[in-house]
Amino acid sequence: MNEKSWLRDLILRSDNRKSKSGPADENPKWSKLFALVIALALCGAAQAQQQSKIPKIGYLGVRPDDSSAGVEFLQREFRALGYVEGKTYTFEYRNAENQPDRLPALVNDLIRLKVDVLIVAAPSEARAAKNATKNIPIVGANLGDPVTSGLVESFARPGGNITGFSNIGSLAGKRLELLKETIPKLARVAVLWQLTTTSASQGWNDHQIVAQQLGLQLYSMEVKSTDKLDNVFKEAIKAGSRALAVSLGPLINSNQKQIAELAAKYRLPAAYARREFVDNGGLMSYGGDRSEPFKRVVVMVDKILKGTNPADIPVEQPTKFEFIINLKAAKQIGLTIPPNVLARADKVIR
């Protein structure tokens, strides 16, 4: 018997009791007890209805590889906080399959499913989500430079419905420094980058500032399409580049293996911002720990589900970094990694 049937039966029995006893026989104690029972029953019914609705989390990405890894990280961190998928939360995952123009439709699809929180993988996804909703909380695993791009008002108090994790802290200088220590008499470094956002342009500027401090000349390898990748490598060699620094961008992130293969083909020692490039055959990487953003994102989502406004959750930045070296890639291009550089690596692929 459900709560409504039980309450209806209780009320009918109460009415029968009153009709048999008559008005003079009404007992104040019975009336109070009856009111208390009704109140408790209603509270129980409301609580049961509330517990039956479990939060629905949406996740949106562009790159299939990044997004599948992100899903694994997120689900692991939700389990660490005691969440059980299918029982205490449900998960909806959408991926644009390297086609950013699909993002608006995918965001709208998640909105139609009435997700309680929307997690986004990168700045382009965050922008699409912000354009689509001002009410659903949005948490980004990488918001780029969210203040400059207008996603949030400030790091400390984001305002609006967006918060998350930002990799704005540029490590361009560290990667250039490692290249200079690795390659004797290095003078000219090519920088592969993609002008897609304000933060990408800022990244190029950061490279220039640090290069001046290190006494290095830079060659800009701005790439606009996949079919131009081989040409930009050829031009970099013609310009006298003897090493390569690789920035992040949708096109670059989606062609990690091809870029690593081209760097090997043209014998350019390359430093990357993510370890996935090294896993795909690249020489070295220095960047934030891959799992940290997702761990922090899940903590933020947990706070939001418990009632915290995303506008009041500060945007966070990396605190853990890792340096990876691939000795197989070094051997392929005839490069010997100096012992002092090798000793600083967190992981060496042999």
Side-chain angles (χ1 to χ4, degrees), residues 94-137:
R94 297 293 183 275
N95 186 268
E97 304 290 337
N98 293 324
Q99 300 177 53
D101 58 328
R102 294 182 55 201
L103 287 173
L106 294 176
V107 171
N108 288 328
D109 186 28
L110 290 169
I111 291 173
R112 281 193 295 270
L113 292 174
K114 297 181 179 180
V115 295
D116 296 283
V117 181
L118 183 55
I119 300 174
V120 294
S124 56
E125 292 94 309
R127 175 60 59 189
K130 183 176 182 178
N131 290 341
T133 178
K134 298 295 186 291
N135 299 317
I136 299 175

Short mmCIF file of all heavy atoms in Angstrom, two decimals, residues 94-137:
data_model
loop_
_atom_site.label_atom_id
_atom_site.label_comp_id
_atom_site.label_asym_id
_atom_site.label_seq_id
_atom_site.Cartn_x
_atom_site.Cartn_y
_atom_site.Cartn_z
N ARG A 94 28.59 13.16 -23.63
CA ARG A 94 28.46 13.53 -25.04
C ARG A 94 29.83 14.00 -25.56
O ARG A 94 30.56 14.69 -24.85
CB ARG A 94 27.44 14.66 -25.23
CG ARG A 94 26.01 14.30 -24.84
CD ARG A 94 25.41 13.27 -25.76
NE ARG A 94 24.03 12.97 -25.42
CZ ARG A 94 23.64 12.09 -24.50
NH1 ARG A 94 24.55 11.41 -23.82
NH2 ARG A 94 22.35 11.89 -24.26
N ASN A 95 30.17 13.60 -26.80
CA ASN A 95 31.45 13.97 -27.39
C ASN A 95 31.25 14.45 -28.83
O ASN A 95 30.47 13.86 -29.58
CB ASN A 95 32.41 12.78 -27.37
CG ASN A 95 33.80 13.17 -27.84
OD1 ASN A 95 34.12 13.06 -29.01
ND2 ASN A 95 34.62 13.63 -26.91
N ALA A 96 31.96 15.52 -29.19
CA ALA A 96 31.79 16.12 -30.52
C ALA A 96 32.64 15.45 -31.60
O ALA A 96 32.60 15.88 -32.75
CB ALA A 96 32.13 17.61 -30.45
N GLU A 97 33.42 14.43 -31.22
CA GLU A 97 34.22 13.67 -32.20
C GLU A 97 35.09 14.59 -33.08
O GLU A 97 35.09 14.49 -34.31
CB GLU A 97 33.30 12.83 -33.09
CG GLU A 97 32.39 11.87 -32.34
CD GLU A 97 33.14 10.72 -31.71
OE1 GLU A 97 34.26 10.42 -32.18
OE2 GLU A 97 32.62 10.14 -30.74
N ASN A 98 35.81 15.49 -32.40
CA ASN A 98 36.73 16.42 -33.09
C ASN A 98 36.01 17.41 -34.02
O ASN A 98 36.61 17.95 -34.94
CB ASN A 98 37.79 15.65 -33.89
CG ASN A 98 38.74 14.89 -32.99
OD1 ASN A 98 39.08 15.36 -31.91
ND2 ASN A 98 39.16 13.72 -33.42
N GLN A 99 34.73 17.63 -33.78
CA GLN A 99 33.96 18.58 -34.59
C GLN A 99 33.34 19.64 -33.66
O GLN A 99 32.20 19.48 -33.21
CB GLN A 99 32.87 17.87 -35.37
CG GLN A 99 33.38 16.80 -36.34
CD GLN A 99 32.26 16.06 -37.03
OE1 GLN A 99 31.37 16.68 -37.64
NE2 GLN A 99 32.28 14.74 -36.94
N PRO A 100 34.08 20.72 -33.36
CA PRO A 100 33.59 21.73 -32.43
C PRO A 100 32.24 22.33 -32.79
O PRO A 100 31.51 22.78 -31.90
CB PRO A 100 34.70 22.80 -32.47
CG PRO A 100 35.92 22.07 -32.91
CD PRO A 100 35.44 21.01 -33.85
N ASP A 101 31.90 22.35 -34.09
CA ASP A 101 30.63 22.94 -34.49
C ASP A 101 29.43 22.13 -33.99
O ASP A 101 28.29 22.61 -34.01
CB ASP A 101 30.57 23.09 -36.01
CG ASP A 101 30.76 21.77 -36.73
OD1 ASP A 101 31.49 20.91 -36.23
OD2 ASP A 101 30.18 21.60 -37.82
N ARG A 102 29.67 20.90 -33.51
CA ARG A 102 28.60 20.08 -32.96
C ARG A 102 28.29 20.40 -31.50
O ARG A 102 27.27 19.94 -30.95
CB ARG A 102 28.96 18.59 -33.08
CG ARG A 102 29.04 18.05 -34.49
CD ARG A 102 29.36 16.55 -34.46
NE ARG A 102 28.38 15.83 -33.65
CZ ARG A 102 28.60 14.62 -33.11
NH1 ARG A 102 29.78 14.03 -33.27
NH2 ARG A 102 27.66 14.01 -32.41
N LEU A 103 29.15 21.18 -30.86
CA LEU A 103 29.01 21.42 -29.42
C LEU A 103 27.66 22.04 -29.03
O LEU A 103 27.04 21.58 -28.07
CB LEU A 103 30.15 22.30 -28.92
CG LEU A 103 31.52 21.61 -28.83
CD1 LEU A 103 32.61 22.62 -28.49
CD2 LEU A 103 31.49 20.49 -27.79
N PRO A 104 27.17 23.09 -29.71
CA PRO A 104 25.88 23.67 -29.31
C PRO A 104 24.74 22.65 -29.27
O PRO A 104 23.94 22.63 -28.33
CB PRO A 104 25.63 24.75 -30.37
CG PRO A 104 27.00 25.14 -30.82
CD PRO A 104 27.78 23.86 -30.82
N ALA A 105 24.67 21.78 -30.28
CA ALA A 105 23.60 20.77 -30.33
C ALA A 105 23.75 19.77 -29.20
O ALA A 105 22.75 19.35 -28.58
CB ALA A 105 23.61 20.06 -31.68
N LEU A 106 24.99 19.39 -28.89
CA LEU A 106 25.23 18.42 -27.82
C LEU A 106 24.90 19.01 -26.45
O LEU A 106 24.37 18.33 -25.57
CB LEU A 106 26.68 17.94 -27.85
CG LEU A 106 27.07 17.12 -29.09
CD1 LEU A 106 28.56 16.78 -29.04
CD2 LEU A 106 26.25 15.84 -29.18
N VAL A 107 25.23 20.29 -26.26
CA VAL A 107 24.88 20.97 -25.01
C VAL A 107 23.36 20.99 -24.84
O VAL A 107 22.83 20.67 -23.77
CB VAL A 107 25.44 22.41 -24.97
CG1 VAL A 107 24.88 23.15 -23.76
CG2 VAL A 107 26.94 22.40 -24.90
N ASN A 108 22.66 21.35 -25.90
CA ASN A 108 21.19 21.41 -25.83
C ASN A 108 20.61 20.04 -25.54
O ASN A 108 19.57 19.92 -24.86
CB ASN A 108 20.63 21.97 -27.13
CG ASN A 108 20.89 23.46 -27.28
OD1 ASN A 108 20.92 24.18 -26.27
ND2 ASN A 108 21.06 23.93 -28.50
N ASP A 109 21.24 19.00 -26.06
CA ASP A 109 20.79 17.64 -25.79
C ASP A 109 20.89 17.33 -24.29
O ASP A 109 19.96 16.77 -23.69
CB ASP A 109 21.63 16.64 -26.59
CG ASP A 109 21.13 15.22 -26.47
OD1 ASP A 109 19.91 15.02 -26.26
OD2 ASP A 109 21.94 14.29 -26.59
N LEU A 110 22.01 17.71 -23.67
CA LEU A 110 22.19 17.49 -22.24
C LEU A 110 21.21 18.34 -21.41
O LEU A 110 20.71 17.89 -20.38
CB LEU A 110 23.63 17.80 -21.83
CG LEU A 110 24.68 16.80 -22.33
CD1 LEU A 110 26.09 17.35 -22.11
CD2 LEU A 110 24.52 15.46 -21.64
N ILE A 111 20.93 19.53 -21.89
CA ILE A 111 19.97 20.40 -21.19
C ILE A 111 18.58 19.79 -21.24
O ILE A 111 17.84 19.81 -20.25
CB ILE A 111 19.98 21.81 -21.81
CG1 ILE A 111 21.30 22.52 -21.50
CG2 ILE A 111 18.80 22.64 -21.27
CD1 ILE A 111 21.46 23.85 -22.19
N ARG A 112 18.21 19.21 -22.38
CA ARG A 112 16.89 18.56 -22.50
C ARG A 112 16.77 17.37 -21.55
O ARG A 112 15.67 17.03 -21.11
CB ARG A 112 16.66 18.11 -23.94
CG ARG A 112 16.23 19.22 -24.89
CD ARG A 112 15.71 18.65 -26.20
NE ARG A 112 16.77 17.96 -26.94
CZ ARG A 112 17.57 18.55 -27.81
NH1 ARG A 112 17.45 19.85 -28.05
NH2 ARG A 112 18.49 17.85 -28.45
N LEU A 113 17.90 16.75 -21.24
CA LEU A 113 17.89 15.63 -20.30
C LEU A 113 17.81 16.10 -18.84
O LEU A 113 17.76 15.30 -17.92
CB LEU A 113 19.16 14.79 -20.49
CG LEU A 113 19.26 14.02 -21.81
CD1 LEU A 113 20.62 13.34 -21.92
CD2 LEU A 113 18.16 12.98 -21.91
N LYS A 114 17.81 17.42 -18.65
CA LYS A 114 17.69 18.04 -17.33
C LYS A 114 18.82 17.63 -16.38
O LYS A 114 18.58 17.19 -15.25
CB LYS A 114 16.32 17.72 -16.72
CG LYS A 114 15.15 18.27 -17.52
CD LYS A 114 13.81 17.96 -16.87
CE LYS A 114 12.67 18.56 -17.68
NZ LYS A 114 11.35 18.28 -17.07
N VAL A 115 20.06 17.79 -16.87
CA VAL A 115 21.20 17.51 -15.99
C VAL A 115 21.23 18.54 -14.88
O VAL A 115 20.84 19.70 -15.06
CB VAL A 115 22.53 17.51 -16.78
CG1 VAL A 115 22.56 16.37 -17.78
CG2 VAL A 115 22.76 18.85 -17.48
N ASP A 116 21.69 18.11 -13.71
CA ASP A 116 21.78 19.02 -12.56
C ASP A 116 23.07 19.82 -12.57
O ASP A 116 23.11 20.96 -12.10
CB ASP A 116 21.69 18.21 -11.26
CG ASP A 116 20.34 17.53 -11.12
OD1 ASP A 116 19.37 18.22 -10.77
OD2 ASP A 116 20.26 16.32 -11.37
N VAL A 117 24.14 19.23 -13.11
CA VAL A 117 25.44 19.90 -13.25
C VAL A 117 26.04 19.47 -14.58
O VAL A 117 25.91 18.31 -14.98
CB VAL A 117 26.42 19.53 -12.11
CG1 VAL A 117 27.74 20.28 -12.28
CG2 VAL A 117 25.82 19.83 -10.75
N LEU A 118 26.70 20.41 -15.25
CA LEU A 118 27.32 20.13 -16.54
C LEU A 118 28.83 20.29 -16.41
O LEU A 118 29.33 21.38 -16.12
CB LEU A 118 26.78 21.08 -17.60
CG LEU A 118 27.24 20.90 -19.05
CD1 LEU A 118 26.97 19.49 -19.54
CD2 LEU A 118 26.55 21.91 -19.95
N ILE A 119 29.58 19.21 -16.62
CA ILE A 119 31.04 19.25 -16.60
C ILE A 119 31.53 19.38 -18.04
O ILE A 119 31.07 18.66 -18.92
CB ILE A 119 31.63 17.97 -15.96
CG1 ILE A 119 31.13 17.82 -14.52
CG2 ILE A 119 33.15 18.02 -15.99
CD1 ILE A 119 31.54 16.51 -13.88
N VAL A 120 32.48 20.30 -18.27
CA VAL A 120 33.03 20.50 -19.61
C VAL A 120 34.54 20.29 -19.58
O VAL A 120 35.19 20.56 -18.58
CB VAL A 120 32.68 21.90 -20.16
CG1 VAL A 120 31.19 22.04 -20.38
CG2 VAL A 120 33.18 23.00 -19.22
N ALA A 121 35.08 19.79 -20.72
CA ALA A 121 36.48 19.40 -20.75
C ALA A 121 37.43 20.56 -20.98
O ALA A 121 38.55 20.56 -20.46
CB ALA A 121 36.70 18.33 -21.82
N ALA A 122 37.02 21.57 -21.78
CA ALA A 122 37.96 22.60 -22.21
C ALA A 122 37.23 23.91 -22.49
O ALA A 122 35.99 23.97 -22.43
CB ALA A 122 38.72 22.12 -23.44
N PRO A 123 37.98 25.00 -22.80
CA PRO A 123 37.35 26.31 -23.00
C PRO A 123 36.26 26.35 -24.07
O PRO A 123 35.24 27.01 -23.89
CB PRO A 123 38.54 27.20 -23.40
CG PRO A 123 39.71 26.57 -22.75
CD PRO A 123 39.46 25.09 -22.83
N SER A 124 36.45 25.65 -25.20
CA SER A 124 35.44 25.70 -26.26
C SER A 124 34.13 25.09 -25.79
O SER A 124 33.04 25.61 -26.09
CB SER A 124 35.94 24.96 -27.51
OG SER A 124 36.32 23.63 -27.21
N GLU A 125 34.20 24.01 -25.01
CA GLU A 125 33.00 23.40 -24.46
C GLU A 125 32.35 24.31 -23.42
O GLU A 125 31.13 24.42 -23.35
CB GLU A 125 33.34 22.05 -23.82
CG GLU A 125 33.77 20.97 -24.80
CD GLU A 125 35.28 20.90 -24.97
OE1 GLU A 125 35.90 21.94 -25.22
OE2 GLU A 125 35.84 19.79 -24.84
N ALA A 126 33.19 24.98 -22.63
CA ALA A 126 32.67 25.91 -21.62
C ALA A 126 31.92 27.06 -22.28
O ALA A 126 30.85 27.48 -21.81
CB ALA A 126 33.82 26.44 -20.76
N ARG A 127 32.47 27.57 -23.38
CA ARG A 127 31.82 28.67 -24.09
C ARG A 127 30.47 28.23 -24.65
O ARG A 127 29.47 28.95 -24.54
CB ARG A 127 32.73 29.16 -25.23
CG ARG A 127 32.11 30.23 -26.12
CD ARG A 127 31.75 31.48 -25.36
NE ARG A 127 32.92 32.06 -24.70
CZ ARG A 127 32.84 33.05 -23.83
NH1 ARG A 127 31.65 33.55 -23.50
NH2 ARG A 127 33.94 33.54 -23.26
N ALA A 128 30.43 27.04 -25.25
CA ALA A 128 29.17 26.54 -25.81
C ALA A 128 28.14 26.35 -24.70
O ALA A 128 26.95 26.65 -24.89
CB ALA A 128 29.42 25.22 -26.54
N ALA A 129 28.58 25.86 -23.55
CA ALA A 129 27.66 25.64 -22.44
C ALA A 129 27.14 26.96 -21.88
O ALA A 129 25.95 27.10 -21.59
CB ALA A 129 28.36 24.83 -21.34
N LYS A 130 28.03 27.93 -21.75
CA LYS A 130 27.61 29.22 -21.21
C LYS A 130 26.62 29.91 -22.14
O LYS A 130 25.67 30.57 -21.68
CB LYS A 130 28.82 30.13 -20.99
CG LYS A 130 28.45 31.48 -20.36
CD LYS A 130 29.65 32.33 -20.04
CE LYS A 130 29.20 33.64 -19.38
NZ LYS A 130 30.34 34.50 -19.00
N ASN A 131 26.82 29.76 -23.44
CA ASN A 131 25.89 30.36 -24.40
C ASN A 131 24.51 29.71 -24.36
O ASN A 131 23.51 30.31 -24.75
CB ASN A 131 26.46 30.25 -25.82
CG ASN A 131 27.66 31.15 -26.04
OD1 ASN A 131 27.88 32.10 -25.29
ND2 ASN A 131 28.46 30.84 -27.05
N ALA A 132 24.48 28.46 -23.89
CA ALA A 132 23.23 27.70 -23.92
C ALA A 132 22.41 27.82 -22.64
O ALA A 132 21.19 27.71 -22.67
CB ALA A 132 23.52 26.23 -24.21
N THR A 133 23.07 28.03 -21.49
CA THR A 133 22.33 28.07 -20.23
C THR A 133 22.97 29.02 -19.23
O THR A 133 24.19 29.09 -19.13
CB THR A 133 22.23 26.67 -19.59
OG1 THR A 133 21.55 26.76 -18.34
CG2 THR A 133 23.60 26.05 -19.36
N LYS A 134 22.13 29.73 -18.52
CA LYS A 134 22.58 30.60 -17.43
C LYS A 134 22.14 30.05 -16.08
O LYS A 134 22.42 30.65 -15.05
CB LYS A 134 22.01 32.01 -17.62
CG LYS A 134 22.45 32.71 -18.89
CD LYS A 134 23.94 32.97 -18.89
CE LYS A 134 24.37 33.79 -20.10
NZ LYS A 134 24.26 33.02 -21.37
N ASN A 135 21.45 28.92 -16.09
CA ASN A 135 20.89 28.37 -14.86
C ASN A 135 21.60 27.10 -14.38
O ASN A 135 21.82 26.93 -13.18
CB ASN A 135 19.40 28.06 -15.06
CG ASN A 135 18.61 29.31 -15.40
OD1 ASN A 135 18.81 30.36 -14.80
ND2 ASN A 135 17.71 29.20 -16.36
N ILE A 136 21.95 26.21 -15.30
CA ILE A 136 22.60 24.96 -14.91
C ILE A 136 24.05 25.24 -14.52
O ILE A 136 24.79 25.85 -15.29
CB ILE A 136 22.54 23.94 -16.05
CG1 ILE A 136 21.10 23.60 -16.40
CG2 ILE A 136 23.30 22.66 -15.67
CD1 ILE A 136 20.95 22.69 -17.60
N PRO A 137 24.50 24.79 -13.36
CA PRO A 137 25.91 24.98 -12.97
C PRO A 137 26.85 24.28 -13.95
O PRO A 137 26.61 23.15 -14.37
CB PRO A 137 25.98 24.33 -11.58
CG PRO A 137 24.58 24.35 -11.07
CD PRO A 137 23.72 24.16 -12.28
#
